[in-house]
Amino acid sequence: MPASPFVKATTPALAALLIGLLLTLFATPPPAHAAYPTSGAIGSLHKTLGGNAGKLGPATGPQRCTLIQKGCYQSFKNGSIHWTKATGAHATWGAVRTAWKKSGWERGPLGYPTSNEYRSGSEIRQKFQHGRIAWTAKSGAKITPTKTAKAAAPSSFTVTGSGFGHGVGMSQYGARGMAAAGKSSTQILEHYYHSAKVTTTSKNADDSLRVQLLTGKKSVTVTPRSGHLRVKAGSKTIESGAKVTIERTSSGTVQAKIGSKSYAGAKLVVEWQGTRYWKGSAATTVSVSGAQNGASGTYRHGRLEIGQLNKTLNVINVLKLNKEYLPGIAEMPASWQSEALRSQAIASRTYAYRNLGAPKAACGCNVYDEVASQRFLGWNNENAKDSGPWRKAVAATQTASGSTVKAARVITYKGSLIDAVYSSSAGGKTHSAAEVWGSPVPYLVSVDDSPSKYASAKNPNASWTVTVKQAAMAKAFGLRDVRSLSVSKTGSGLVKTVKATSMAGKTASLTGAQLRTKLTLKSPSFSVK
């Protein structure tokens, strides 16, 4: 590199002089306290206590006026001075200061100091707005709040967070953001399910699935919307074009009331026209009372098997997984990009495939129709006015011959189906299965979820804020009141524990999951002020 004109014009003598000046300037650093002057009431008190050579020593930081009640403070080598217009300037140091710090400084039950340290008998004491601290060599520092201390408890807490749901696996809004950026369904899924692969398999392609629609009720009505249904009770088959009421009996059977007659059996089967169980007739649907969060659900495919579970009815929809179940899944808006919808179709299929096999004892089903598994709305979703793109996404991820599916795309890890869990969004980073559920899963680790915050993702929960009132927070922790909260997090931002401290100094802790449940927070990633 050529020399600069300035270097060319500098004589050796002048260069030596400049170097000497630089060495003089930087050879001996100025005293650490030189940059932190004291002033005002804080400066006056510091001077009274002996200045830099006194009790507090030199200042170690500038004077700051950022505290509650428009308070100011300055830190010194051996303590600090706090000031407000109401309390004046007072210094704290030693064990008394440590105790005040542990209590939460000026935001704690004591408030600001209203005196400096003084001796009373064998104790060293200091007064505060809402109490005092007393110290002895034998007992150490003891806080004694006054009755007015409770007034300092915050009336509410601000909780800020990001994401919605457990945050493990695929982020749905992240999939939307990635699809908008031109990524394929394979790229999306292989990003969120670390080291897993999207592949095509013919196994399970035409299998049936048992979906629990309803339990916990003693009576349910099944109504054909047009055409007829039929009830199979033991060796009898009864056809009806009207509502059928099905009830449990005390003897452990279920019975169907059709007209003026009743038909009972250990299990009832309900079929309707236009299905693969009753071919050669015009297609119809049936409605099942209370099947969708108390409202009636409408079903086009399969058949119903109704028995008893825990002394209540158990209503199961048996239907083909690919052709009849997946179109009724309502987990992603059909208006989203096709690659996002295909990602959802593949994830939903993989989840369902993994749950095939012997029915769960808890439900007599393979999957539930709600978020405990996947939200299944049946015909209400499949036949919705805007559902076309979703049905196309399902069809695009499988290969069919007539009404029979021959192969379909799934997600595997080392040749086995993965547990394809997903949530709305994680807000920055997804969480690992180990963080959320306690057991590591190689393909469910924390990965980047910044796409869920892209403008194109249009995520309403990219960030959120809620206000929690004092009474609700205290109830959550089982304390009389809550003065302050301490939050610990994992590397992905998941809240591990939250520790609450009351005005009286009592503490209680909850896991992040427990507090999220008690306060009905949107995600396990949050902060509290």
Side-chain angles (χ1 to χ4, degrees):
M1 177 182 291
S4 70
F6 176 78
V7 173
K8 287 183 179 179
T10 304
T11 66
L14 181 57
L17 178 61
L18 289 170
I19 292 170
L21 288 171
L22 289 171
L23 289 173
T24 302
L25 286 170
F26 294 105
T28 305
H33 61 274
Y36 304 116
T38 60
S39 61
I42 289 177
S44 297
L45 178 59
H46 180 241
K47 184 176 181 181
T48 299
L49 294 172
N52 291 347
K55 185 74 176 180
L56 294 175
T60 57
Q63 187 175 134
R64 301 181 187 276
C65 296
T66 57
L67 305 182
I68 61 172
Q69 301 172 29
K70 298 182 179 180
C72 301
Y73 76 99
Q74 190 162 12
S75 299
F76 297 85
K77 182 178 180 181
N78 302 318
S80 57
I81 297 175
H82 285 71
W83 171 92
T84 71
K85 185 176 181 180
T87 60
H90 299 287
T92 56
W93 57 76
V96 170
R97 181 175 183 271
T98 299
W100 184 42
K101 176 182 177 181
K102 289 182 178 179
S103 77
W105 296 111
E106 72 283 349
R107 291 181 177 272
L110 295 173
Y112 284 98
T114 56
S115 78
N116 293 321
E117 285 190 4
Y118 63 94
R119 180 174 289 277
S120 178
S122 62
E123 294 182 339
I124 298 297
R125 295 181 177 179
Q126 187 161 10
K127 295 180 181 179
F128 293 80
Q129 286 176 302
H130 307 298
R132 73 182 182 206
I133 299 176
W135 176 91
T136 64
K138 181 179 180 180
S139 303
K142 181 180 179 182
I143 295 176
T144 304
T146 62
K147 292 182 180 179
T148 60
K150 186 177 179 181
S155 60
S156 63
F157 300 85
T158 300
V159 183
T160 57
S162 185
F164 190 98
H166 53 64
V168 182
M170 184 180 74
S171 160
Q172 292 168 308
Y173 275 98
R176 187 185 192 186
M178 290 184 71
K183 302 298 182 182
S184 70
S185 57
T186 296
Q187 290 173 311
I188 293 167
L189 293 168
E190 292 183 356
H191 168 74
Y192 281 106
Y193 300 110
H194 179 70
S195 299
K197 298 296 180 183
V198 176
T199 187
T200 300
T201 180
S202 59
K203 188 177 181 180
N204 306 123
D206 201 43
D207 283 4
S208 291
L209 187 75
R210 296 176 60 84
V211 184
Q212 186 189 63
L213 303 182
L214 180 68
T215 192
K217 300 291 185 180
K218 296 182 180 181
S219 175
V220 64
T221 60
V222 182
T223 308
R225 291 294 179 94
S226 61
H228 285 214
L229 59 73
R230 64 190 180 194
V231 178
K232 294 183 177 181
S235 60
K236 295 181 179 180
T237 299
I238 310 93
E239 187 173 328
S240 175
K243 176 177 71 175
V244 173
T245 299
I246 299 173
E247 300 173 335
R248 66 172 291 271
T249 68
S250 58
S251 62
T253 63
V254 288
Q255 67 177 13
K257 291 183 177 180
I258 303 174
S260 60
K261 296 183 178 181
S262 295
Y263 305 87
K267 180 178 72 174
L268 300 181
V269 174
V270 180
E271 299 170 349
W272 50 97
Q273 293 176 317
T275 66
R276 55 193 168 90
Y277 295 104
W278 190 349
K279 296 180 179 179
S281 303
T284 187
T285 61
V286 295
S287 64
V288 179
S289 62
Q292 292 179 8
N293 293 323
S296 292
T298 303
Y299 305 94
R300 167 71 185 84
H301 305 293
R303 70 181 186 184
L304 302 180
E305 294 183 3
I306 305 175
Q308 284 206 42
L309 180 67
N310 299 323
K311 297 182 179 180
T312 67
L313 295 177
N314 191 35
V315 183
I316 303 294
N317 190 190
V318 183
L319 66 173
K320 292 286 187 180
L321 191 155
N322 275 305
K323 291 292 284 187
E324 300 174 346
Y325 171 69
L326 285 179
I329 290 289
E331 285 285 357
M332 184 177 281
S335 60
W336 287 12
Q337 299 90 344
S338 61
E339 291 302 317
L341 294 173
R342 292 180 186 189
S343 298
Q344 182 65 61
I346 297 168
S348 291
R349 176 185 296 114
T350 305
Y351 182 90
Y353 273 23
R354 188 179 165 95
N355 282 274
L356 284 170
K360 297 178 176 67
C363 64
C365 69
N366 300 121
V367 294
Y368 302 93
D369 70 342
E370 275 299 338
V371 292
S373 295
Q374 304 184 106
R375 194 170 185 223
F376 173 70
L377 297 184
W379 192 242
N380 287 346
N381 187 73
E382 181 181 350
N383 193 48
K385 184 178 180 180
D386 61 352
S387 66
W390 169 244
R391 296 196 306 272
K392 288 180 181 178
V394 171
T397 59
Q398 59 192 27
T399 303
S401 176
S403 61
T404 302
V405 177
K406 297 294 186 179
R409 295 175 71 197
V410 294
I411 317 160
T412 62
Y413 177 78
K414 294 185 176 180
S416 298
L417 293 166
I418 71 166
D419 187 10
V421 294
Y422 51 86
S423 66
S424 176
S425 66
K429 285 185 177 181
T430 66
H431 307 307
S432 70
E435 289 174 311
V436 176
W437 297 309
S439 298
V441 178
Y443 50 83
L444 296 178
V445 297
S446 178
V447 300
D448 174 47
D449 188 35
S450 59
S452 72
K453 293 190 171 185
Y454 291 174
S456 58
K458 299 179 182 179
N459 184 358
N461 295 304
S463 63
W464 50 263
T465 301
V466 295
T467 300
V468 180
K469 292 187 177 181
Q470 168 67 228
M473 191 68 79
K475 181 180 180 181
F477 285 94
L479 295 172
R480 184 175 181 179
D481 52 47
V482 175
R483 168 176 53 81
S484 61
L485 294 160
S486 175
V487 178
S488 66
K489 299 182 179 182
T490 67
S492 69
L494 177 85
V495 174
K496 291 175 62 179
T497 58
V498 184
K499 181 181 179 181
T501 303
S502 73
M503 298 302 297
K506 291 183 178 181
T507 62
S509 295
L510 293 171
T511 66
Q514 288 171 331
L515 186 60
R516 181 190 171 199
T517 298
K518 288 176 179 289
L519 300 180
T520 61
L521 302 177
K522 293 182 178 181
S523 79
S525 299
F526 57 87
S527 300
V528 186
K529 290 184 181 180

